[in-house]
């Protein structure tokens, strides 16, 4: 389908002024042009960056997973900057695509500098001016730089920060019983670049990220021993045991400032929620009901946390909220089997497990999305901007990580060896 339109275009004395405010130029000559504007599904035209062999394909792939419809095909030219558009802006406008991304890479003292622009094609305006990013000239840094650029392009167009520079931690299990090997792995948000952080003979449970994305806390249960919570740097080095207490120590959650950790433990009897310094020390018990309280998760403002309790009866877990200031506890989930709550970064949504289905509720407890039966008792985890979730499932006997858009973007899966569990998305590094 094509729409026939008339366009009155002011051609100013200087062609480059199409990209500038027309205040210092001669009076415009008005031409009337007739052309047809195709109705475009694509919202962004992406020109691969000049001089680049690494970044562009990653940026394009990232953006294609969002609700933005992106194309790099059949473009009328390959500009490297907005200044090269001066005489051809009407050609771009005739395509009916509202945004254009252009850029180039250059070397500077052994590093790679990427200059790029997001252009509003209708006005010819560069949104927030030229952007620049400097990265080390190695595969790891360049891949991360591409994710950061994709995040910024997304933000310039939508006004919402992107979520590709955060990473996803998850557990991969192989074997059973005494033969079970568990690996804590971390991958990029596009499903690539997976690396093993630690490997144990036994089980790893409930990894969680520190707010700065530099550390992960998780529980380890080896043969004939209680689960112990460890904290480990993602960049390497040994893991530090945080809870050398008898009993089951599970489900750590970092406070928003990274200084404290909530967790559940049964070392004083039935499972309760405790809080302690993220560097260790004596824990403080917060809940003290006769029932079991597990799976705490801090609210983003740090003033409360959600957790799971079976106080309603055997096999009737519900999600509750505890407020630090008042000590008040309220029930959040309305009814049914509800476990594994995880807040979105703005606190407005809670991902959880509803029976055997991954689901999302608002902070008041009303279910807003049901993502379906995953075939595994795992809750989803939000991306940094809350527009996507990641969750684990089993498909055809294989463990699969699914990254699902909540607002019309592309969903995709990543399979691995054995069983995949407990994926959790880090915040985007500042």
């Amino acid at each position: 389908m094509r729409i026939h339109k008339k366009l009155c275009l002011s051609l100013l004395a200087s062609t480059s002024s199409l990209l500038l405010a027309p205040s210092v130029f001669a009076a415009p000559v008005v031409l009337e042009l007739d052309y047809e504007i195709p109705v475009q599904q694509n919202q962004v035209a992406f020109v691969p960056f000049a001089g680049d062999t690494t970044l562009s394909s990653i940026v394009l792939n990232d953006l294609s997973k969002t609700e933005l419809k992106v194309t790099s095909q059949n473009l009328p030219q390959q500009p490297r900057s907005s200044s090269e558009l001066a005489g051809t802006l009407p050609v771009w406008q005739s395509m009916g695509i509202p945004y254009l991304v252009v850029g180039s890479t250059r070397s500077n003292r052994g590093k790679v500098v990427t200059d790029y622009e997001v252009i509003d094609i209708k006005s010819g305006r560069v949104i927030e001016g030229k952007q620049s990013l400097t990265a080390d000239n190695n595969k790891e840094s360049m891949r991360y730089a591409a994710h950061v650029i994709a995040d910024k392009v997304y933000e310039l167009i939508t006004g919402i920060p992107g979520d590709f520079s955060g990473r996803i931690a998850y557990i991969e299990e192989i074997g059973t019983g005494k033969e079970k090997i568990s690996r804590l792995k971390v991958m990029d948000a596009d499903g690539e670049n997976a690396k093993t952080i630690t490997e144990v003979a036994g089980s790893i449970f409930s990894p969680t990220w520190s707010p700065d994305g530099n550390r992960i806390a998780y529980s380890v249960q080896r043969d004939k021993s209680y689960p112990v919570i460890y904290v480990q740097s993602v960049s390497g080095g040994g893991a530090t045991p945080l809870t050398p207490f008898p009993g089951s120590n599970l489900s750590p959650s970092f406070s928003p400032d990274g200084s404290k950790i909530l967790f559940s433990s049964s070392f004083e009897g039935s499972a309760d929620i405790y809080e302690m310094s993220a560097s260790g020390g004596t824990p403080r018990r917060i809940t003290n009901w006769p029932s079991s309280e597990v799976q705490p998760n801090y609210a983003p403002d740090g003033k409360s946390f959600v957790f799971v309790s079976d106080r309603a009866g055997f096999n009737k877990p519900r999600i509750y909220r505890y407020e630090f200031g008042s000590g008040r506890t309220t029930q959040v989930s309305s009814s049914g089997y509800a476990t594994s709550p995880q807040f979105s970064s703005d606190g407005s949504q809670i991902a959880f497990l509803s029976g055997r289905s991954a689901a999302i509720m608002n902070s008041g407890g009303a279910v807003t999305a049901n993502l379906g039966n995953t075939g595994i008792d795992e809750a989803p985890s939000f991306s940094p901007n809350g527009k996507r979730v990641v969750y684990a499932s089993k498909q055809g006997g294989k463990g699969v990580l699914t990254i699902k858009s909540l607002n019309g973007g592309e969903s995709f899966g990543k399979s691995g060896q054995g069983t995949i569990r407990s994926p959790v998305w880090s915040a985007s590094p500042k």
Side-chain angles (χ1 to χ4, degrees), residues 30-42:
V30 177
L31 298 179
E32 200 169 85
L33 304 176
D34 272 65
Y35 63 91
E36 292 182 331
I37 295 179
V39 174
Q40 282 280 356
Q41 295 303 311
N42 294 304

Side-chain angles (χ1 to χ4, degrees), residues 403-423:
I403 296 175
K404 183 176 180 63
S405 171
L406 300 175
N407 64 343
E410 181 184 332
S411 299
F412 61 99
K414 186 77 176 176
S415 61
Q417 292 181 291
T419 299
I420 292 179
R421 293 192 179 280
S422 305

Side-chain angles (χ1 to χ4, degrees), residues 39 66 115 121 125 134 150 184 215 245 251 339 344-345 354 363 366 379 416-417 421 425:
V39 174
T66 71
D115 302 312
I121 293 178
R125 182 177 66 92
T134 301
L184 176 64
R215 293 170 293 161
F245 319 123
S251 305
T339 62
S344 60
S345 59
S354 175
S363 57
Q417 292 181 291
R421 293 192 179 280
W425 213 313

Side-chain angles (χ1 to χ4, degrees), residues 9 37 42 71 86-87 130 183 246 263 295 318 323 334 336 342 361 380 407:
L9 179 69
I37 295 179
N42 294 304
T71 183
K130 184 174 77 172
R183 299 184 182 98
F263 65 101
Q295 298 177 335
R318 304 280 190 269
E323 296 175 23
S334 53
Q342 292 195 33
M361 68 171 86
N407 64 343

